[in-house]
Amino acid sequence: AGTEFYERGDSYEEALQRQPGLEGRVSLGFMVTAEGSVQASNVVEGNMVGVGACIAQASRRWTFPSSSGPTLVNYPFVLDSTP
C-alpha cells in the first residue's frame, strides 16, 4: 500500500530505513462525528507503536460523508514493505 493512503508521513518510511523488511499490523479505533470529522483516534492493537501513533495523528485530519449520528470505526492497517 502506498504512503499517500495511510497519510503516515515518513514514519513508516523512516522505520524501514532503520529496519529493512519491517512489517506489522496496527488496528486503529476512531470516532467519526455525524458531520464527518474524526473526533478521536487511537491505536487499539498492534506491534508498531510509533508508526501506529503517526497513523492515529494523521487520521484526525480525515473527513467522511455526513451521517445520521456518530460512528465508531475499528480499522486494521497491515504494513508490508514487499512490493
Side-chain angles (χ1 to χ4, degrees), residues 50-73:
V51 173
C54 193
I55 296 171
Q57 182 178 11
S59 72
R60 294 180 188 111
R61 296 187 303 270
W62 299 346
T63 56
F64 294 86
S66 298
S67 65
S68 60
T71 304
L72 182 60
V73 178

Side-chain angles (χ1 to χ4, degrees), residues 27-51:
S27 289
L28 190 66
F30 54 97
M31 176 67 71
V32 180
T33 66
E35 294 77 26
S37 64
V38 175
Q39 182 178 22
S41 177
N42 59 19
V43 176
V44 294
E45 183 181 348
N47 62 349
M48 303 176 74
V49 176
V51 173

